Amino acid sequence: MSENCIFCKIIKGDIPSMKVYEDDSTLAFMDIGKDVDGHIVVIPKKHVKNILDCDNDTLTKLMANIKKISEHLTNDCGYNGINLLNNSGECAGQAVPHFHFHIIPRKTDDGVDCWPKFTGAKSTIEEIHNKIKMI
């Protein structure tokens, strides 16, 4: 746990939250941003900054619980799908330095657009492929 981390304070109960799901490794709670109905934040209880710092065991448990919550939303709560959002690193828009995913529950024709507005690629797809391919 990190003393100055707002999410660690939520885990410890120092800051109240509306819990959606909790087990020994994961906490999911309602986002207070009031930006879209059903917005949930899912965090590992272990403090890691982002996916780049996350060990495989923590990541596996977190993703399994994200799936469990997502299935609950679609099977039991009347949603038709979900968006998963994650920003890892300040340059990617990560505002809270504790690894987390946002689950945005979706309904058909809800008018919510969760895809970012890109300005266009600056390089060819071939140039970028040659730079980032792993095989």
Side-chain angles (χ1 to χ4, degrees):
M1 297 259 178
S2 173
E3 273 188 37
N4 297 323
C5 173
I6 190 167
F7 288 170
C8 287
K9 290 178 181 179
I10 290 172
I11 293 165
K12 289 190 286 187
D14 295 343
I15 297 175
S17 67
M18 290 179 277
K19 295 178 183 179
V20 174
Y21 176 83
E22 183 174 23
D23 69 8
D24 62 331
S25 65
T26 303
L27 177 62
F29 53 91
M30 299 302 297
D31 187 284
I32 61 171
K34 299 179 187 175
D35 51 4
V36 64
D37 290 340
H39 185 166
I40 300 167
V41 177
V42 186
I43 61 176
K45 287 186 172 179
K46 178 180 180 180
H47 181 84
V48 291
K49 184 175 180 182
N50 57 45
I51 196 166
L52 304 171
D53 298 329
C54 191
D55 61 273
N56 288 337
D57 184 54
T58 300
L59 181 60
T60 298
K61 290 176 182 175
L62 183 68
M63 293 309 296
N65 286 323
I66 287 171
K67 183 175 190 276
K68 183 184 296 186
I69 296 163
S70 299
E71 288 173 339
H72 169 67
L73 293 168
T74 57
N75 294 338
D76 305 323
C77 300
Y79 292 99
N80 306 110
I82 56 108
N83 285 109
L84 288 181
L85 307 174
N86 168 262
N87 301 328
S88 283
E90 291 176 15
C91 70
Q94 184 177 3
V96 178
H98 186 120
F99 186 37
H100 61 284
F101 278 88
H102 299 263
I103 299 177
I104 310 297
R106 301 298 302 276
K107 290 190 176 187
T108 303
D109 298 324
D110 61 13
V112 175
D113 184 4
C114 288
W115 196 256
K117 305 294 182 225
F118 296 110
T119 59
K122 295 174 179 53
S123 302
T124 68
I125 191 170
E126 293 83 9
E127 289 171 323
I128 299 302
H129 175 254
N130 286 332
K131 180 179 179 180
I132 65 174
K133 66 183 176 182
M134 297 172 67
I135 56 172

